[in-house]
Amino acid sequence: MQSSREADSTGQIILGATPIGNPADASARLIEWLETADLVAAEDTRRLHKLTGSLGIRVSGRIFSYHEHNELSRTAELIEQVRSGATLLMVSDAGMPAVSDPGYRLVQAAIEARVRVTAIPGPSAVLTALALSGLPTDRFSFEGFLPRKAGERKGKLQQMAGEQRTMIFFEAPHRLEAMLAALVESFGPERKAAVARELTKTFEEVLRGSLQELHEWAASSEVRGEIAVVVGGSHGIVRSAEEQVAAVLELAEGGMRLKDAVAVVAESSQASKRELYEAVLAARAGS
């Protein structure tokens, strides 16, 4: 076991949470360390200069680019400088480093090298979207970006169909419509969700409704900005379309009215009552 208070060097690594949209959300501690850290590792140095320009400050330390394409090669160099006594501030483009952003490998390497790691908490697109979604916040999971390929995305969502916690995803605007279509197919059209875009920015917007409603909006709109999608968890048994029809017919054969049976199964499986009712009628007609 290793304590974060135990370190073999006088240097330290600070993970600095940066604004997710509004520069005014930068904390006083972030500003202080941007101005005074010996080294600043930035996911995008241009974004860093834009942020410091907006804040009216300048970085006095040496700036390094640190992103997914050079993490492996640059980590050892940065760790060595910290072991020699330097203070390194790590910032990503927005939010907390290491959360769907570069930084995880740096933290791992620092722990192995017995280098102190601490954090400046601050803005988070994950928590902001969750709080604004209106969906349950007591238990949730962050899922990041879904696979781009349709088959891989479908397989991933099928594994998550029974997840009872609220789920938070990131998605690019040009892929949002396809993502929501996949969510409808895997989770059912009635599952509650929210799409949050441009959080903390001038044109911030949060749309709340069923997955079907959100998909129809995305299909008919020119979606822009950075996107977070929040999806409510499953409230019951997840069944395939064939299982849903069979469950309705079983209840109906037991004496329950057909519409009542459809309502019961639709609620437990997050299915559309209308579509399930039509599927049951079609099954009866074909038998």
Side-chain angles (χ1 to χ4, degrees):
M1 185 172 69
Q2 180 183 344
S3 168
S4 62
R5 298 179 65 180
E6 299 173 349
D8 290 344
S9 71
T10 56
Q12 65 174 334
I13 294 173
I14 304 171
L15 304 179
T18 54
I20 59 176
N22 191 327
D25 291 334
S27 70
R29 286 183 62 205
L30 176 66
I31 293 173
E32 176 187 357
W33 283 112
L34 281 170
E35 292 182 308
T36 61
D38 301 307
L39 312 169
V40 178
E43 181 180 7
D44 185 332
T45 57
R46 293 169 299 179
R47 294 282 290 269
L48 171 63
H49 288 304
K50 182 177 180 181
L51 173 62
T52 56
S54 298
L55 297 174
I57 62 174
R58 64 182 296 273
V59 175
S60 60
R62 184 180 175 188
I63 298 174
F64 292 81
S65 64
Y66 189 79
H67 46 73
E68 61 178 333
H69 301 298
N70 70 1
E71 275 184 293
L72 290 176
S73 61
R74 182 143 285 176
T75 295
E77 175 188 358
L78 294 176
I79 291 293
E80 188 58 36
Q81 295 202 48
V82 175
R83 285 181 62 85
S84 298
T87 293
L88 167 66
L89 175 67
M90 165 75 212
V91 294
S92 58
D93 288 348
M96 178 61 72
V99 180
S100 197
D101 275 331
Y104 169 70
R105 287 190 177 91
L106 184 64
V107 172
Q108 274 195 319
I111 293 170
E112 292 175 2
R114 298 180 66 83
V115 167
R116 182 172 186 267
V117 183
T118 186
I120 300 172
S124 166
V126 176
L127 296 181
T128 303
L130 174 67
L132 294 177
S133 70
L135 294 166
T137 59
D138 54 336
R139 297 177 67 239
F140 61 91
S141 65
F142 172 56
E143 303 296 339
F145 287 89
L146 286 170
R148 296 186 182 186
K149 294 182 179 179
E152 294 178 5
R153 182 173 57 218
K154 182 176 181 180
K156 179 71 173 178
L157 290 175
Q158 285 177 341
Q159 295 174 11
M160 299 163 56
E163 174 62 70
Q164 296 186 2
R165 296 172 296 178
T166 299
M167 295 163 279
I168 304 127
F169 303 87
F170 286 162
E171 190 52 277
H174 63 280
R175 293 196 299 268
L176 180 63
E177 190 272 333
M179 176 210 188
L180 290 171
L183 289 172
V184 168
E185 179 182 359
S186 297
F187 294 169
E190 301 303 318
R191 183 80 70 92
K192 296 300 182 184
V195 173
R197 54 179 296 274
E198 294 293 86
L199 290 172
T200 76
K201 298 179 182 178
T202 302
F203 298 104
E204 175 181 289
E205 182 178 28
V206 181
L207 295 101
R208 308 172 183 89
S210 68
L211 283 173
Q212 182 64 44
E213 291 171 332
L214 293 172
H215 174 252
E216 291 173 355
W217 163 78
S220 61
S221 304
E222 184 179 355
V223 183
R224 295 181 179 179
E226 298 185 353
I227 305 289
V229 179
V230 187
V231 183
S234 171
H235 295 299
I237 301 170
V238 178
R239 299 186 174 100
S240 66
E242 294 79 9
E243 290 174 325
Q244 292 167 13
V245 170
V248 171
L249 293 175
E250 183 178 350
L251 291 174
E253 290 169 2
M256 185 179 290
R257 285 192 351 162
L258 183 61
K259 286 189 176 181
D260 292 338
V262 167
V264 169
V265 175
E267 181 177 359
S268 68
S269 61
Q270 300 292 307
S272 163
K273 291 181 183 179
R274 178 179 59 80
E275 292 179 3
L276 180 55
Y277 186 74
E278 292 175 354
V280 171
L281 293 181
R284 276 187 164 181
S287 60

